[in-house]
Structures are given as C-alpha cells and as structure tokens.
C-alpha cells in the first residue's frame, strides 16, 4: 500500500472509530446510521481484500426509517468477513439486507463459506447480539445464526421501532443520580 493510499485508509479508519465510539454511547440508532457504520467497515475491508471480497448492501432509498439497538449488526458483519475469508484463498460475498413486514424488521447478514468449513460454536459476538436483543426486547426479538449450504446466515427478527426509544438508566444514569 503506497503512502497516499495508506493515508486515505488511516483517515477512513479514524472516522469509523469515531463514529462507532459515539454510537456505542446510545442504546438505539437509526437503521440508516447503523448501515452507514456497516458500509464504512466493509469499505475498509474491501480495500484490504479487494481481489477476494464482494459486498452487497441495501440502497439508501430502501432503508426503513426505524431504530435498532446501536451497533447490533457490527459483530455479525465482522464475523462474516473474518470467518468468510479464513482458511482459504477464494472469493467471499458478504450481503446485508434490512426488510420490513407486518410491524417487524428483519436484518440479515450472509456470507459465503467454503464447503465443509462451517464455523462451530457460538462466539462472543453472537452471544452479545443474542443477549442485547433479549434485554432490549424482553423476548420479542429472535436471532438465528448458522450454515445453510455454502452460506453462513445471521438473522435478527425484531419489532419495528418507529420512534427513538427513551434512554435506559442502565448506562449509569441511576448510579450517577445517587439512586
């Protein structure tokens, strides 16, 4: 990587980290913002793996105006890139989708995997997504992740949150107030 390309890559990385730190301070983010973080992360990865990584993301006009738990998709997308590229030199496609139907939002991350090389077990990222959904939606959301043929599919099915939720006290508000 030449100096000019390295500077662009470094600036993009700093911008993404700044945005992620800011988003991590909130319980919920707009889906459009969440997908922007995903887009930035995947663009950085495409620079690293340009010859191997293809990315498919929803168009801006197709994104529903809803709220999602902040950074809920980030670990799923990171897993798709890391585990999709691991252990072979072939091409990988990472596809992200968000669809609304019947008051529900379905978020999906798919990535190609090598035949016979499905990941095993549930890692930290998947456990965290599962736990956060349980806390935020008290059982009203579902999460599944696993191999399906030559793809790994991670799917969140959650209520469509149309208005920004009130901040929760769990981030230290009650403690800071002396309660």
């Amino acid at each position: 990587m030449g100096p000019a390309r390295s500077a662009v890559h470094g600036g993009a990385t700093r911008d993404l980290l700044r945005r992620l730190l800011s988003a991590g301070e909130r319980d919920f983010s707009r889906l459009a913002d969440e997908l922007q973080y995903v887009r930035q992360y995947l663009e950085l990865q495409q620079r690293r793996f340009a010859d191997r990584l293809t990315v498919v993301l929803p168009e801006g006009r197709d994104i529903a105006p809803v709220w999602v738990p902040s950074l809920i998709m980030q670990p799923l997308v990171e897993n798709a890139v890391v585990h999709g590229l691991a252990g072979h030199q072939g091409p990988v496609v990472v596809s992200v989708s968000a669809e609304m139907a019947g008051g529900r939002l379905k978020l999906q991350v798919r990535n190609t995997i090598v035949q016979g090389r499905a990941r095993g077990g549930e890692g930290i990222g998947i456990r965290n997504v599962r736990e956060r959904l349980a806390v935020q939606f008290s059982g009203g959301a579902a999460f599944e992740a696993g191999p399906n043929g030559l793809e790994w599919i991670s799917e969140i099915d959650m209520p469509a949150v149309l208005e920004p939720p009130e901040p929760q006290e769990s981030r230290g508000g009650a403690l800071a107030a002396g309660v």
Side-chain angles (χ1 to χ4, degrees), residues 12-168:
T13 302
R14 282 190 297 278
D15 183 47
L16 176 61
L17 288 174
R18 235 186 332 271
R19 286 174 169 251
L20 291 174
L21 287 172
S22 173
E25 295 175 358
R26 298 184 303 271
D27 288 324
F28 281 80
S29 297
R30 291 179 323 134
L31 175 59
D33 293 337
E34 181 79 4
L35 290 172
Q36 182 61 31
Y37 307 139
V38 165
R39 180 179 305 280
Q40 286 182 305
Y41 172 78
L42 289 171
E43 285 173 355
L44 287 171
Q45 295 306 316
Q46 275 189 300
R47 289 182 186 142
R48 289 181 61 202
F49 303 105
D51 57 332
R52 296 184 56 206
L53 182 61
T54 301
V55 173
V56 179
L57 293 165
E59 295 292 323
R61 67 184 178 280
D62 297 331
I63 299 171
V66 295
W67 294 78
V68 298
S70 292
L71 305 176
I72 199 71
M73 296 185 75
Q74 196 67 29
L76 305 179
V77 172
E78 288 177 17
N79 280 350
V81 172
V82 170
H83 296 291
L85 291 167
H88 70 96
Q89 297 302 313
V92 172
V93 176
V94 174
S95 175
V96 177
S97 65
E99 298 176 3
M100 287 273 299
R104 309 274 309 164
L105 176 65
K106 184 183 292 186
L107 303 171
Q108 192 176 80
V109 178
R110 297 171 162 259
N111 64 279
T112 52
I113 55 177
V114 175
Q115 187 169 358
R117 188 160 167 93
R119 295 183 299 207
E122 191 168 284
I124 292 171
I126 288 178
R127 268 196 315 274
N128 284 345
V129 168
R130 192 176 309 286
E131 290 170 7
R132 289 183 61 213
L133 290 170
V135 167
Q136 294 289 354
F137 296 105
S138 304
F143 175 65
E144 294 182 16
N148 183 9
L150 293 178
E151 288 187 309
W152 182 274
I153 302 173
S154 298
E155 184 173 279
I156 296 170
D157 181 349
M158 59 179 264
V161 179
L162 302 176
E163 299 293 326
E166 293 293 319
Q168 294 184 355

